[in-house]
Structure formats: C-alpha cells, structure tokens
Amino acid sequence: MRKILATIMLFGMLAAGNVSAQVSVDPALPEYTPVSGISGNLSSMGSDTLNNLMTLWAEAFQGYYPNVNIQIQGAGSSTAPPALIEATANFGPMSREMRATEIEQFEQRFGYQPVKVTTAVDTIAVYLNKDNPLDCLSIPQIDAIFSATRRCGHGEDITRWGQVGQTGAWANRDFTIYSRNAVSGTYGFFKDVALCGGDYKPTINEQPGSASVVQGVTESINGIGYSGIGYITSGVKAASINMGGTCYEPNAENAASGNYPLARGLFLYVNKNPTEPLAPVEREFLRLVLSKQGQEVVVRDGYIPLPETVAAQVRAQIGL
C-alpha cells in the first residue's frame, strides 16, 4: 500500500504538470548543455523495462561525451540493489521502488540510504494477440485470469475466453498466459495492483524479459500477458481497463488522471553520499536524463515524460 500511495502522489503531481494524451515534452524543461572534462566509465544493472531507455540515454550521452564507456545490463529490477551494494554499477534502474529490506541492506553497507531518481512514467499494458476481438477487461477479471487467489473479488476462476464475453469460436478457447519472472519489478507491480497482492497461477509462462512476453502473445492467438507500454508491437494490442463501467486506455492522459490503474514511476537508484556531490560523470548523466533532451528520449521510447514541476524537484533532491 505504501508503494501504491507513493505512485498516486506521483501521478497527482503529473496531472498538475498538465501531462496530456499527446505525450509532448514540457517546454519548460531545461536544455542540456555539455561541460568539459567528462570521461571514464558508467555501468547500469537492473530493470529490463528500462533497458531500452537506458540504452537510448547512453547513446545520447556518448554523443556529448564520446570518451565515456557505458555498459548496460537489464536482467530485472531485483538485480539493481545488489549491484549498487557491491559497487558493480553506478546506476540501478528499477521499475518499482526499493523494498525496505533492500534499503536496509544498502544502509548497513554504506551508512546512508540510496537516492531514488524518478525519470519517467510507464503504463503496464495487458496485451492480447492482435486478432483477439476483445478490447476491455476489469481488474477483477484480470486477477481471475492470472491469479490462483482472486483477491480482487471475482466470483470464479477464469479459464476460457467465453467467461469474459467472447462468443463463437472464442467461447471455449483457453488462455495462454505470459508473465515476467520473479526478479522483475513489473512482476511485483502487477502482483500488487492487478492481483491485489495475490499469487500467480502455477500455469503462467514466466519470461526473462518484456519483449519475450510480447513475442509470446504475438505467436499465440489465445495469448495474454503484460509488460510496459513501450514494448508494444504490431503483433499485439493493449486492452483497456474497465473502471466503474468506463474502459480506459493505457495512455498518458489516463495515467496522469489516475483513471488507468496500472501506471507507475520508473526510477534510477544511485549511491550518493549525502555529504558529497555525485561523481561528475554520474552528475552529467542525470542532468541529461532530467533535461528536455532526456525527456524527448522518454517519449521516443514510448513512455510518459516528466513535467518540469516534477523534474525540478528531482534535480533539487540530488543537487543538480
């Protein structure tokens, strides 16, 4: 619940920043201007959801600083805290907030907490095969499809497409369910929000990455799965979610208003001693991410950019 409330607070700020369905970059964001003397190595370990975004930011950064070597790995959000604790990565991208136990382990090692940098907003899409005629599902229905516990309140287990309104040849078709694996922040977020904290069915097909989930749904006419909206392809479509009788698409407007329930922040965690400034190469990378150019990359990768009202608070928090 703490994580969900924090996400709602974030979207309240986003709504105040006038995020629109057009997903335009806030013109008030500062332009990034390079500085001299930046070189060395940067490494990133963490979220698969953020892997493409980190790669695009790295390419933009190296355009300014060709002498910086950047390595990016995206095995899942749960790999970020150990990498920061063991000092094998400068940044820990995560599609969820760090758990209290992860923060505690970091603090035991360094004597202070890691810094969370909000970088963008993502909507988790429930993907259907492009040839599936269904367009909208409710959270209780999604829970009854994916979970064994049905904590969101649906009265029966859902095992056939006919149970969610499909007719004809679809009525008796079963589901082929694709999911991220347990090291994924997306897996944890979906479990908390779409399954109301319940347990996944043992029959789900766990995948090592978001692209693998989408590929599975693409190849299976009966497929259903979930991942970040940035991974949508022509082989799938994103279902709207029925909230109170209205179907809301996974877009920027509905994320900002809070009407689309599967929306979240995307974070970069960094080891910053509160008594010392960031290393120059880390500082400049984050300056780029939180600039107009960095947020244009966010839009290009299919995510929702931060308004300047939020970005300014994040920059102040880390002393940029």
Side-chain angles (χ1 to χ4, degrees), residues 23 56 78 107 147 173 190 199 217 233 246 253 255 263-264 307:
V23 199
L56 291 172
S78 293
E107 193 168 9
S147 85
R173 286 180 173 171
F190 196 79
D199 298 323
V217 176
T233 69
T246 301
E253 181 180 27
R264 60 180 178 176

Side-chain angles (χ1 to χ4, degrees), residues 25-49:
V25 172
D26 190 340
L29 284 160
E31 295 274 351
Y32 181 75
T33 54
V35 299
S36 61
I38 301 300
S39 62
N41 299 308
L42 273 180
S43 58
S44 168
M45 168 67 83
S47 168
D48 169 77
T49 298

